[in-house]
């Protein structure tokens, strides 16, 4: 390896030209010596900045110097032959050849072995030594660099390479030894590091120039002896052994480097190029890992361990996370700028461990809830990115994520005070966590699945109520008059509601309340859109199967059939010439599809009774064997009324109609008189009178004035009634759910569940014949789609035993036998 910014020790080739002359006789070639190659092959050398040489072709040089005993035949292009070559067949050999043909030449051995002049070796070495010392002392070289290079080549050609290598090593060793004293006593300071760096830079430049002169030695003798270090490596070895391996020098150097890095970490500006050069030196000398990296990582570990503990106490989590991210970026930049690449992995791992790994739980306990509550998207993204870098970080985050969703969701579901807003808050919360997963947690599947499990857990902590409220929320969105959303927005909202619906265990509760509300929307004409209704039905069918929606679909079929029947009834009325100014519309409902309604006998006006009988005659005439049961609860009428302000049309329920028609016969009535005349049940009558006398549209007046209807209250027609609309809807009361209605729906669900539990137990026992109590309970839980308390399940088993569907085993009371 070579220091940054210095010329390579392998210089580029220089340009050379070779002039060949032809001798006329063999004697002239034989008198030439192998050592005088430079006289026959002239080289052009260049010296720029440092030294740029080319090494001669080693193989060619060795062949020329070996003076082997065999003759060699070579072919050259016509008209040219090399010095020292003789013709084999006289002068007419070339003339008989065709122009341009190859000429056959033979190389003969020199008659005598070439010898070096006396004292040549000593004198040459002295020149080379002086040149080396001049380079080391940064003075001018007396001799021509071409001459020095050729001298090394000549010495190597005469087997003096080993001695030359030893002498060169000794000179370099002496010079480096002399450098050490200046560093041992030099006081520790940044100037010390600069001095070491200058020494190293000088050493590198010197070794490059020295190697350029001794390049022939490096490329022949050293290359052939694998045990010997190259001239460059020899220089590194000497520098390492005598200077950097000195305990005092090495200690001060490493301490200085670590001090500079510590200062930079504390925010001070330092000389980064000096650090880069020094650490590159340690790397080139192959002591980077042993002498520096280990201590550097220990210091880093100590620094960040203390910093992590301190900042976790002092700073809030977002600020701490940004600090950690900044530290990681700084350390990554240090690796790029001056540290060795091998340090990156252990360095970053150390920072991550001390600033993150040691504080995973503490960080989340201190700040995750705050970040999620305030929807700090950027900080949550950074949190996830940082935790992803640490082993086990994502898993710890996942656990706290689950705990947060359960805790936050439970506050929405458990608190009865939030029942009115529960579903909307759940939808908003779901949108929020989805956004966090998509943007902050990189759509990690583990977080998606964990979120679903957490929702399923907390939403079922309060049995039945969430299902009931979701059904009511859907009802509020599908009612006529809901101006909040366009069709597209309504569709998206229904999709979101279905996601929440999936988490609920007691889907039968949802079905019961949804069916009740759907019936009201269809019968009272309050459905906003048939398309939206059918879209919701399709979603429920896809989610729960055809059995779940079969009754709901039957309700829609009944409404379609009722329209056709009413067309036929009108034709029937025309054909029979039945007089009357009341337009009757009847919806024929299949009892099994619709919610169960308690029949209420009320006193209808004679006109209405007559029309009912006419319709009954018409319908039973077409469908024999059927039975009609009139349900007055959801009937509604349009009344024409005259007030002082003018005529109005009142859209009212059947019960409201019966009350208002009484005021055609008298001015004022008491509660008891109205009750007696209409036959309406007491609580329903009070609700009806309250809607007429205490609501927004007060077509009746009440004495005494109060919000509630009490015994003895008197009611009169409000002749001064005013309203900006011509048709006024007062029958919203029909859409409101009474406490009794809610209780009866819940009770009906509970009863249905009893039947389902009984059926499941009998089905299992019929198949298994004999089963232990625990196994029976386990299989029943697997079959049921709603939660059941163990006590309730035990009661159903006892009930079946009493009814002789099964019996206890006589020998083992914990075992049951099926009774055929």
């Amino acid at each position: 390896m070579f220091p940054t910014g210095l010329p390579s020790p392998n210089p580029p080739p220089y340009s050379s030209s070779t002039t060949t002359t032809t001798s006329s006789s063999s004697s002239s070639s034989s008198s030439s010596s192998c050592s005088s190659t430079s006289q026959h092959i002239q080289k052009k050398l260049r010296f720029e900045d440092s030294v740029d040489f080319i090494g001669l072709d080693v193989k060619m040089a060795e062949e020329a110097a070996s003076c082997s005993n065999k003759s060699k035949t070579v072919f050259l292009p016509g008209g040219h032959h090399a010095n020292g070559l003789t013709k084999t067949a006289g002068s007419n050999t070339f003339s008989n050849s065709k122009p341009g043909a190859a000429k056959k030449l033979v190389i003969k051995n020199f008659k005598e072995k070439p010898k070096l002049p006396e004292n040549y070796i000593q004198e040459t070495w002295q020149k080379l030594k002086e040149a080396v010392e001049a380079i080391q002392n940064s003075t001018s070289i007396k001799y021509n660099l071409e001459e020095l290079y050729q001298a090394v080549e000549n010495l190597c050609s005469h087997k003096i390479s080993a001695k030359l290598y030893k002498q060169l090593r000794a000179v370099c060793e002496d010079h480096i030894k002399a450098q050490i004293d200046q560093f041992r006593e030099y006081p520790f300071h940044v100037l010390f590091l600069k001095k070491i760096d200058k020494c190293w830079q000088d050493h590198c430049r010197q070794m490059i120039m020295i190697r350029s002169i001794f390049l022939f030695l490096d490329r022949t003798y050293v290359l052939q002896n694998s045990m010997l270090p190259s001239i460059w490596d020899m220089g590194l070895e000497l520098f390492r052994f005598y200077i950097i391996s000195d305990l005092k020098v090495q200690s001060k150097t490493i301490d200085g480097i670590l001090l500079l890095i510590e200062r930079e970490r504390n925010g001070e500006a330092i000389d980064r190029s000096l650090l880069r050069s020094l650490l590159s030196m340690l790397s080139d000398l192959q002591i980077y890992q042993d002498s520096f990296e280990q201590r550097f990582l220990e210091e880093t570990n100590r620094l960040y361990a203390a910093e992590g503990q301190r900042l976790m106490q002092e700073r809030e989590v977002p600020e701490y996370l940004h600090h950690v991210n900044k530290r990681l970026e700084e350390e990554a930049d240090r690796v790029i700028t001056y540290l060795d690449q091998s340090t990156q992995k252990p360095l970053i791992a150390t920072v991550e461990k001390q600033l993150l790994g040691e504080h995973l739980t503490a960080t989340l306990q201190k700040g995750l809830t705050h970040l999620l509550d305030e929807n700090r998207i950027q900080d949550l993204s950074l949190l996830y990115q940082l935790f992803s870098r640490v082993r086990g970080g994502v898993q710890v985050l996942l656990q706290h994520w689950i705990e947060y969703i359960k805790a936050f969701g439970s506050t929405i579901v458990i608190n009865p005070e939030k029942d009115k807003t529960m579903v909307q808050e759940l939808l908003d919360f779901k949108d929020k966590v989805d956004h966090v997963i998509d943007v902050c947690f990189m759509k990690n599947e583990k977080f998606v699945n964990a979120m679903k499990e957490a929702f399923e857990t907390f939403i079922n902590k309060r049995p039945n109520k969430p299902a009931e409220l979701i059904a009511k929320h859907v009802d509020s969105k599908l009612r006529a008059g809901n101006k909040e959303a366009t069709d597209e927005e309504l569709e998206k909202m229904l999709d979101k509601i279905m996601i929440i619906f999936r988490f609920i265990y007691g889907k039968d509760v949802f079905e019961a309340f949804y069916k009740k509300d759907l019936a009201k929307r269809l019968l009272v004409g309050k459905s906003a859109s048939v398309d939206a209704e059918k879209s919701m039905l399709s979603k429920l069918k896809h989610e729960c199967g055809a059995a779940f929606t079969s009754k709901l679909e039957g309700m829609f079929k009944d409404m379609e059939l009722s329209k056709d029947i009413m067309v036929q009834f009108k034709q029937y009325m025309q054909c029979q010439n039945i007089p009357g100014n009341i337009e009757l519309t009847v919806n024929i409902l299949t009892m099994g599809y619709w919610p169960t309604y308690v029949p209420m006998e009320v006193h209808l006006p004679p006109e209405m009774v007559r029309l009912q009988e006419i319709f009954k005659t018409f319908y039973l005439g077409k469908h024999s064997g059927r039975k009609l049961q009139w349900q007055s609860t959801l009937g509604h009428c349009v009344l024409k009324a005259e007030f002082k302000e003018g005529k109005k049309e009142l859209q009212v329920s059947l019960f409201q109609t019966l009350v208002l028609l009484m005021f055609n016969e008298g001015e004022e009535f008491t509660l008891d008189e109205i009750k007696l005349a209409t036959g309406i049940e007491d609580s329903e009558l009070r609700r009806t009178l309250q809607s007429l006398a205490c609501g927004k549209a007060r077509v009746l007046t009440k004495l005494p004035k109060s919000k509630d209807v009490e015994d003895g209250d008197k009611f009169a027609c409000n002749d001064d009634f005013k309203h900006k609309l011509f048709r006024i809807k007062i029958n919203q009361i029909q859409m409101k759910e009474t406490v009794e209605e809610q209780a009866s729906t819940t009770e009906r669900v509970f009863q249905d569940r009893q039947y389902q539990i009984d059926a499941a137990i009998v089905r299992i026992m019929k198949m298994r014949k004999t089963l232990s109590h625990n196994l029976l309970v386990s299989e029943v839980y697997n079959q049921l789609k709603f939660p059941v308390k163990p006590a309730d399940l035990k009661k159903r088993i006892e009930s079946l035993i009493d009814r002789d569907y099964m019996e206890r085993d006589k020998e083992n009371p914990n075992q049951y036998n099926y009774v055929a």
Side-chain angles (χ1 to χ4, degrees):
M1 298 180 70
F2 304 100
T4 308
L6 296 177
S8 167
N10 293 318
Y14 61 82
S15 59
S16 65
S17 62
T18 304
T19 306
T20 58
T21 58
T22 306
S23 61
S24 58
S25 65
S26 60
S27 59
S28 62
S29 66
S30 61
S31 63
S32 62
S33 169
C34 286
S35 63
S36 59
T37 309
S38 60
Q39 297 173 9
H40 305 303
I41 303 176
Q42 300 173 8
K43 307 170 197 67
K44 294 181 180 179
L45 304 177
R46 234 169 355 101
F47 182 64
E48 299 173 353
D49 299 332
S50 65
V51 182
D52 291 336
F53 284 120
I54 184 174
L56 292 177
D57 188 316
V58 175
K59 186 176 179 182
M60 182 176 176
E62 286 179 346
E63 284 182 357
S66 65
C67 299
S68 64
N69 294 323
K70 294 181 180 178
S71 297
K72 294 184 184 285
T73 303
V74 297
F75 294 91
L76 298 175
H80 293 80
H81 59 281
N83 190 25
L85 304 179
T86 58
K87 292 181 284 182
T88 57
S91 59
N92 63 344
T93 304
F94 291 166
S95 61
N96 293 335
S97 302
K98 292 180 181 180
K103 312 301 188 295
K104 187 175 182 181
L105 302 177
V106 178
I107 300 174
K108 289 190 175 182
N109 299 333
F110 291 108
K111 292 182 179 179
E112 294 181 10
K113 258 190 173 182
K115 296 179 182 178
L116 291 174
E118 291 182 13
N119 300 325
Y120 179 81
I121 295 173
Q122 290 79 7
E123 291 173 0
T124 302
W125 166 244
Q126 191 58 40
K127 287 181 182 179
L128 292 171
K129 183 180 178 184
E130 289 177 11
V132 170
E133 289 174 346
I135 291 170
Q136 291 171 339
N137 297 324
S138 299
T139 58
S140 59
I141 303 172
K142 295 179 183 179
Y143 308 101
N144 185 284
L145 293 177
E146 177 187 357
E147 182 183 345
L148 294 172
Y149 181 88
Q150 190 60 55
V152 172
E153 185 180 340
N154 290 341
L155 292 175
C156 292
S157 301
H158 285 81
K159 311 298 183 186
I160 308 178
S161 302
K163 183 179 178 182
L164 182 61
Y165 184 84
K166 287 179 182 177
Q167 288 174 323
L168 175 61
R169 181 183 176 92
V171 173
C172 292
E173 191 171 4
D174 291 342
H175 174 72
I176 292 172
K177 275 183 186 177
Q179 303 291 319
I180 189 62
D181 292 333
Q182 63 176 319
F183 298 114
R184 282 177 177 162
E185 305 305 325
Y186 199 91
F188 174 70
H189 195 269
V190 175
L191 293 175
F192 172 83
L193 296 178
K194 290 184 177 179
K195 196 168 182 67
I196 280 283
D197 182 54
K198 185 176 186 307
C199 179
W200 164 249
Q201 298 291 348
D202 291 345
H203 171 78
C204 291
R205 274 196 299 273
Q206 292 160 13
M207 290 309 300
I208 288 171
M209 292 185 70
I210 290 169
R211 182 180 181 273
S212 299
I213 293 173
F214 289 85
L215 187 61
F216 193 86
L217 173 68
D218 205 29
R219 289 190 172 177
T220 54
Y221 172 71
V222 175
L223 200 62
Q224 292 163 3
N225 290 270
S226 58
M227 300 302 291
L228 289 177
S230 67
I231 293 173
W232 173 258
D233 290 340
M234 175 194 72
L236 294 180
E237 188 181 292
L238 293 172
F239 194 89
R240 177 172 61 244
F241 184 79
Y242 288 106
I243 296 182
I244 292 301
S245 292
D246 183 88
L247 292 177
K248 286 186 177 180
V249 175
Q250 188 178 116
S251 177
K252 285 195 280 187
T253 303
I254 302 302
D255 288 345
I257 293 172
L258 292 174
L259 179 63
L260 286 181
I261 294 174
E262 186 179 350
R263 285 179 180 176
E264 187 182 42
R265 281 172 171 166
N266 292 332
E268 296 181 33
I270 60 164
D271 187 349
R272 294 184 123 201
S273 60
L274 175 62
L275 271 181
R276 181 168 58 247
S277 179
L278 290 169
L279 291 170
S280 176
M281 172 190 77
L282 297 179
S283 186
D284 290 346
L285 296 174
Q286 297 180 355
I287 60 169
Y288 179 88
Q289 271 80 18
D290 296 334
S291 65
F292 168 75
E293 188 177 75
Q294 189 175 351
R295 278 194 61 193
F296 170 67
L297 293 175
E298 287 172 359
E299 290 293 317
T300 302
N301 193 66
R302 179 190 58 76
L303 170 72
Y304 287 125
E307 184 174 278
Q309 292 287 349
R310 177 171 52 82
L311 293 181
M312 270 304 295
Q313 302 297 325
E314 295 176 359
R315 299 190 179 184
E316 293 298 322
V317 168
E319 190 181 356
Y320 181 76
L321 292 175
H322 284 285
H323 175 78
V324 173
N325 191 50
K326 181 185 173 188
R327 282 300 200 192
L328 287 167
E329 288 174 352
E330 287 173 357
E331 297 302 334
D333 181 58
R334 285 188 186 94
V335 173
I336 294 169
T337 308
Y338 53 74
L339 293 171
D340 190 83
Q341 196 65 31
S342 64
T343 309
Q344 181 176 17
K345 194 172 180 179
L347 172 61
I348 299 301
T350 300
V351 180
E352 289 171 349
K353 180 177 181 294
Q354 294 302 336
L355 293 183
L356 288 172
E358 297 293 330
H359 309 287
L360 291 176
T361 304
T363 303
L364 295 174
Q365 288 176 346
K366 186 178 179 181
L368 180 62
T369 301
H370 174 70
L371 294 178
L372 288 168
D373 284 346
E374 295 195 358
N375 209 26
R376 302 276 287 272
I377 296 298
Q378 289 185 339
D379 293 334
L380 285 167
S381 299
L382 179 59
L383 174 72
Y384 179 78
Q385 289 167 17
L386 293 175
F387 272 54
S388 299
R389 302 175 69 133
V390 184
R391 186 176 181 181
V394 172
Q395 191 59 36
V396 176
L397 177 57
L398 187 64
Q399 290 303 318
H400 283 77
W401 167 250
I402 294 171
E403 290 170 13
Y404 171 80
I405 293 175
K406 287 180 181 178
F408 191 90
S410 296
T411 61
I412 299 173
V413 173
I414 298 297
N415 189 358
E417 294 178 2
K418 288 193 172 185
D419 283 358
K420 289 184 178 179
T421 59
M422 179 196 292
V423 178
Q424 191 56 52
E425 285 189 38
L426 287 174
L427 292 172
D428 294 341
F429 183 49
K430 179 67 170 55
D431 285 343
K432 176 181 172 179
V433 295
D434 283 345
H435 184 64
V436 170
I437 290 172
D438 289 346
V439 178
C440 306
F441 298 161
M442 312 294 285
K443 300 182 180 179
N444 189 321
E445 277 298 317
K446 290 182 179 178
F447 284 83
V448 175
N449 296 331
M451 177 269 294
K452 290 178 180 177
E453 290 175 12
F455 260 80
E456 196 170 313
T457 301
F458 78 72
I459 209 168
N460 291 294
K461 279 187 176 180
R462 188 180 175 192
N464 305 335
K465 199 64 182 179
E468 175 190 333
L469 293 174
I470 289 172
K472 291 176 179 176
H473 187 80
V474 174
D475 175 57
S476 71
K477 298 301 177 186
L478 293 178
R479 277 188 195 179
N482 178 26
K483 311 272 196 232
E484 295 175 16
T486 61
D487 291 344
E488 293 80 5
E489 289 170 341
L490 182 60
E491 188 70 18
K492 287 179 182 177
M493 191 177 298
L494 293 177
D495 286 334
K496 290 179 180 179
I497 290 171
M498 288 306 299
I499 293 171
I500 302 295
F501 171 74
R502 289 190 190 111
F503 300 132
I504 295 169
Y505 290 152
K507 291 182 171 61
D508 54 342
V509 176
F510 173 89
E511 181 193 12
F513 281 94
Y514 183 80
K515 184 198 287 186
K516 176 180 66 65
D517 293 331
L518 174 62
K520 286 186 176 182
R521 291 197 300 275
L522 293 178
L523 296 176
V524 183
K526 290 289 186 178
S527 180
S529 162
V530 176
D531 291 339
E533 294 283 6
K534 290 187 175 179
S535 172
M536 185 63 190
L537 199 62
S538 173
K539 296 179 197 300
L540 289 170
K541 187 173 184 178
H542 181 266
E543 187 66 33
C544 304
F548 186 85
T549 56
S550 59
K551 292 182 179 180
L552 302 176
E553 289 173 336
M555 293 165 69
F556 281 95
K557 288 178 183 175
D558 282 351
M559 296 302 293
E560 295 295 327
L561 288 172
S562 296
K563 289 179 182 177
D564 296 338
I565 290 171
M566 289 317 299
V567 171
Q568 295 171 17
F569 178 64
K570 286 180 181 177
Q571 292 173 352
Y572 173 79
M573 293 279 284
Q574 290 173 359
C575 292
Q576 297 293 325
N577 290 321
I578 298 171
N581 57 355
I582 300 176
E583 187 178 333
L584 176 68
T585 303
V586 181
N587 288 313
I588 308 297
L589 313 180
T590 306
M591 193 169 286
Y593 294 157
W594 296 77
T596 304
Y597 298 106
V598 179
M600 187 183 296
E601 292 295 332
V602 292
H603 305 153
L604 297 175
E607 295 90 343
M608 289 187 183
V609 174
R610 187 175 67 86
L611 281 173
Q612 279 187 351
E613 290 299 324
I614 294 170
F615 181 82
K616 185 176 179 181
T617 304
F618 159 76
Y619 185 77
L620 295 179
K622 293 179 69 68
H623 304 281
S624 60
R626 294 190 182 181
K627 183 181 178 182
L628 283 179
Q629 185 184 68
W630 296 96
Q631 292 289 350
S632 55
T633 314
L634 295 174
H636 58 96
C637 304
V638 176
L639 290 181
K640 293 181 179 179
E642 271 192 52
F643 299 99
K644 289 180 179 179
E645 188 187 41
K647 292 182 179 181
K648 299 286 183 184
E649 286 188 358
L650 306 178
Q651 188 169 323
V652 288
S653 70
L654 179 60
F655 294 159
Q656 289 173 325
T657 302
L658 297 180
V659 171
L660 290 174
L661 287 176
M662 285 185 65
F663 290 92
N664 287 336
E665 309 299 330
E667 296 292 328
E668 187 178 85
F669 298 95
T670 64
L671 174 64
D672 291 336
E673 289 172 341
I674 297 172
K675 183 177 179 181
L676 185 64
T678 60
I680 301 173
E681 187 264 330
D682 185 73
S683 61
E684 190 65 40
L685 179 59
R686 289 175 189 269
R687 285 180 70 234
T688 303
L689 288 169
Q690 188 179 34
S691 67
L692 293 171
C694 306
K696 291 182 180 178
R698 299 183 181 183
V699 291
L700 297 181
T701 58
K702 183 176 83 73
L703 291 174
K705 291 183 178 181
S706 63
K707 288 185 178 179
D708 297 319
V709 176
E710 304 292 345
D711 293 341
D713 286 353
K714 293 181 179 181
F715 299 88
C717 182
N718 182 12
D719 293 331
D720 298 324
F721 174 75
K722 293 181 180 180
H723 202 282
K724 61 181 179 180
L725 298 177
F726 174 72
R727 175 172 284 196
I728 305 143
K729 294 179 182 178
I730 312 178
N731 65 332
Q732 285 89 345
I733 185 174
Q734 286 183 291
M735 298 301 290
K736 289 181 181 178
E737 183 184 53
T738 63
V739 176
E740 294 81 3
E741 197 176 5
Q742 193 267 345
S744 67
T745 305
T746 305
E747 180 62 27
R748 210 160 41 244
V749 171
F750 180 74
Q751 289 295 335
D752 289 343
R753 284 185 176 181
Q754 306 302 306
Y755 302 140
Q756 290 184 53
I757 295 169
D758 289 354
I761 294 171
V762 171
R763 192 164 50 245
I764 293 165
M765 289 305 301
K766 188 175 182 180
M767 183 175 64
R768 304 293 289 272
K769 304 302 181 186
T770 300
L771 208 59
S772 70
H773 176 80
N774 290 338
L775 285 174
L776 175 60
V777 170
S778 176
E779 290 205 27
V780 169
Y781 277 132
N782 289 336
Q783 288 197 15
L784 296 178
K785 296 179 180 179
F786 49 83
V788 183
K789 294 177 182 178
D792 293 338
L793 192 55
K794 194 172 181 181
K795 286 179 184 177
R796 300 319 306 159
I797 293 173
E798 294 295 338
S799 172
L800 289 171
I801 291 173
D802 293 341
R803 287 180 282 162
D804 293 332
Y805 283 96
M806 54 196 286
E807 64 182 7
R808 290 188 190 276
D809 192 87
K810 292 176 182 178
E811 296 179 1
N812 185 357
N814 279 329
Q815 190 160 305
Y816 305 111
N817 298 323
Y818 176 67
V819 177

